[in-house]
Structures are given as C-alpha cells and as structure tokens.
Amino acid sequence: MIRETVDTSRTPPTWASFLRDWDRSLRAADHPATTRYNYLLAATQLCGFLRTFGHARSDAGRDPLAVTKADIERFQVWMIETRSASTALNKHKSLQQFFSWLVAEEELDVSPLARVRQPRKRKKLIPIIGEDETRKVLAACDRRTFAGARDEAIIRMFVNTGARLSEVADLTLDDIDMSLDTALYHGKGAKDRKVRFGPKTGRALSRYIRMRALHRGAPLPSLWLAEKGAAHLSDNGIQMMLRRRGKAAGVEHLHAHRWRHTYAHEWKRAGGDTGDLMVVLGWSSDEMPRHYGASAAAERAQETQARLRIGEDV
C-alpha cells in the first residue's frame, strides 16, 4: 500500500523544489508509490547529511546542483558505517536516478555519481523457512477469529505463491478468482501476472472472504482489512503481524521475503525450470534466480559431496 510522504519540511527551498519536480516526473512515468518514497527518501537523507556534515564552504547542503563526487562518497561511507553496505547500495541506486534526472533536465552536465563505485554488498544465504516452522506459525492463527482467518490466508499466499510483500498487500477482492483458484499480482515495473494457488490456500481464502463480508470494511476494494474499523491492512501492518505470529510460534526473524526465498529454493531443488520460475515470481533479470537459488545450490552441493565421499576412502 502507499507509504507516507517523505517529510521535506526542513529541506532547504532549492532541494525541496527539485525533489517536488522529480516526484512529479516519477508520477508521470507511473512509478509505484513505494519506489517514489524510497527514491525521495535517499535524496532527502543525502541533503540532511550534507547540511550536518558538509563542508562549511560548500553549497551542496542548500543546492543539489553543487553536490560533488566527494560528497557522494562521504555519504556512502557514512551509510555503511551507520547502517549497512546493503542500505548504502540501495541509496546509491536511488541517487543515481535523481542525478540522472537532473542531467536529463539539463540542470547538470554530468552526474556526481558518474565515477562513484557502488558499495559492495556481502552476499549472504537468506535462511529459508522449514515446513515445521511454517506449520508452527499457521498453528498460531486461530481461524475461528477474523484476524486468525485473515492471517492464515495471508501466510498461505506467501508460502504457496512466493509473492512479494507488496504484491500480497496490494491485492483487491477483484484480483482473486475463486473459480479458477488464481490471484492477479501487480508486480514491480507495472508488470501484472496471474498465479495459481493450491487447495489449502483456496480454503483459507474462502474462509476469510466469508468473514470479511460481515466486516465493517467490507465495501472497501482492498482484500485485506484491519481487524478493527473500516480500514485496509497495509504492507507495514502485514510485517508487524508476521513478527507477532513468529514470536508466538517461536520462529525468529520472520518476514515475508523468507518464504519467497524458500519458494525459489524448493523449486530449484526439485529441478524446476529457471525460466518458468522467473515467470511465476515476476523476475526479468537472470541474476535473480541465481541470487534466490543460492541456498538450494549450496544444499545440492552438500548432498553431492556426501554421496561422492571424496577423500573418505584413503
């Protein structure tokens, strides 16, 4: 769902003016609300950093056209030291978009990021979720209650389809076809795709939809409703729900993306076609299957190593 607007009330007038124009351009290009939020947040954070830690003789904290390569590099170092290399990389990519837009608008001749290297992100194997852990989380949902039925349906959608958090959160009633057992996901880059869900997920959805029809928020188009009042359940609300359910089930670090990794893991471990996996999960880059399938590749390698017994017979 749409995130809050980035607060630019304390941003200097010139920065605020450029950010407002950039946001208008992003809206015109139909960029998703979450993408616009993250882009604008990165630019606002750079501005705040330069105002706090910038050189006294520099205008960069007041005017983005004065930002230099050195400013960007100092900002990236600060991000790595105070957040993480992964966060610094995300900020780098967002700022690339901002300064490329300034070049396209002929406000700048060259982007200050043109010769700035991207932060190197350490590649980690995302821990998958075992079936036993998923069963424990589902068992923590009392399907006799509205919240329990809703949460079971949400969790089964993650488990059964490998969807992104935003894709599940943005579902509407019209996106669910209970006759064909399909869901229409609205993916990144305005790419829609239809996926099938299984019988258990179908039953969980039916149960929830029947309860939803009696809910105060039933007229709303959003599929997922907050427990109280006539309001939708946002992606942030789903995140908080998963943390609560995980804590109740004794499953640490529970978040939706782990099921997406698990889905790719199980698909690759079963010998599924990579091209088909890309279609199902809404990927357009060949890099994604390699990243998401890394845990499955590591497990297959360990199984092969145990079977071959190399060096054990000497």
Side-chain angles (χ1 to χ4, degrees):
M1 304 306 293
I2 297 176
R3 295 172 181 266
E4 296 178 1
T5 303
V6 174
D7 182 13
T8 59
S9 60
R10 291 181 292 179
T11 304
T14 304
W15 267 94
S17 176
F18 276 119
L19 293 180
R20 186 168 54 249
D21 289 347
W22 184 37
D23 186 39
R24 186 185 303 111
S25 178
L26 293 172
R27 289 174 183 274
D30 198 26
H31 283 275
T34 301
T35 299
R36 297 199 314 271
Y37 177 90
N38 290 331
Y39 281 178
L40 292 166
L41 178 62
T44 304
Q45 288 174 325
L46 172 62
C47 175
F49 169 81
L50 294 173
R51 293 184 68 198
T52 304
F53 302 107
H55 295 299
R57 289 173 292 181
S58 172
D59 289 331
R62 295 183 292 274
D63 186 349
L65 302 184
V67 174
T68 66
K69 174 187 175 186
D71 291 328
I72 298 295
E73 289 177 334
R74 289 190 300 109
F75 176 67
Q76 287 189 176
V77 170
W78 180 69
M79 272 290 167
I80 291 171
E81 292 177 347
T82 60
R83 272 76 163 184
S84 67
S86 178
T87 300
L89 177 59
N90 290 335
K91 302 302 177 184
H92 178 102
K93 292 179 178 179
S94 295
L95 292 173
Q96 275 184 323
Q97 298 297 320
F98 176 52
F99 286 101
S100 293
W101 173 77
L102 288 174
V103 171
E105 292 291 306
E106 299 183 347
E107 298 286 352
L108 286 174
D109 293 328
V110 180
S111 166
L113 282 91
R115 293 184 294 112
V116 177
R117 293 185 177 181
Q118 289 187 354
R120 296 177 61 183
K121 184 173 69 172
R122 180 180 298 175
K123 292 186 178 181
K124 299 185 292 184
L125 293 180
I126 303 296
I128 62 172
I129 299 182
E131 290 183 354
D132 288 342
E133 290 179 300
T134 297
R135 289 192 188 99
K136 289 178 182 177
V137 177
L138 288 170
C141 303
D142 184 354
R143 61 178 59 167
R144 296 170 298 180
T145 67
F146 177 83
R150 179 200 64 194
D151 296 352
E152 180 188 356
I154 290 173
I155 291 168
R156 287 195 179 278
M157 289 298 287
F158 287 128
V159 177
N160 199 193
T161 68
R164 300 178 179 94
L165 171 63
S166 60
E167 292 171 341
V168 172
D170 290 345
L171 284 171
T172 67
L173 268 177
D174 291 341
D175 291 329
I176 301 296
D177 189 328
M178 298 303 296
S179 299
L180 299 176
D181 288 349
T182 60
L184 178 63
Y185 285 135
H186 307 287
K188 289 184 176 181
K191 296 176 182 175
D192 290 354
R193 70 184 189 282
K194 226 171 223 188
V195 300
R196 294 187 63 84
F197 49 79
K200 289 185 178 180
T201 302
R203 287 196 292 274
L205 281 169
S206 291
R207 186 181 303 112
Y208 165 68
I209 290 173
R210 286 194 294 271
M211 291 187 177
R212 184 192 181 285
L214 304 176
H215 191 278
R216 182 179 174 185
L220 295 175
S222 299
L223 176 61
W224 313 115
L225 301 179
E227 186 174 6
K228 297 179 181 179
H232 68 260
L233 183 68
S234 68
D235 54 357
N236 187 54
I238 291 178
Q239 285 180 315
M240 292 190 292
M241 177 274 287
L242 292 176
R243 284 197 290 269
R244 288 197 307 271
R245 296 297 186 187
K247 185 176 181 180
V251 178
E252 296 183 354
H253 309 299
L254 184 66
H255 53 83
H257 224 60
R258 286 185 63 187
W259 277 304
R260 189 165 169 82
H261 275 269
T262 301
Y263 192 96
H265 171 96
E266 295 297 341
W267 183 288
K268 295 297 291 182
R269 192 163 181 268
D273 181 76
T274 299
D276 291 340
L277 177 63
M278 291 179 66
V279 172
V280 170
L281 295 188
W283 290 328
S284 55
S285 169
D286 293 339
E287 176 62 26
M288 300 309 292
R290 288 193 290 272
H291 173 58
Y292 278 74
S295 58
E299 186 170 316
R300 291 196 304 272
Q302 291 169 4
E303 291 172 351
T304 301
Q305 181 185 30
R307 176 172 53 81
L308 295 178
R309 296 172 50 85
I310 296 174
E312 294 185 21
D313 296 327
V314 296

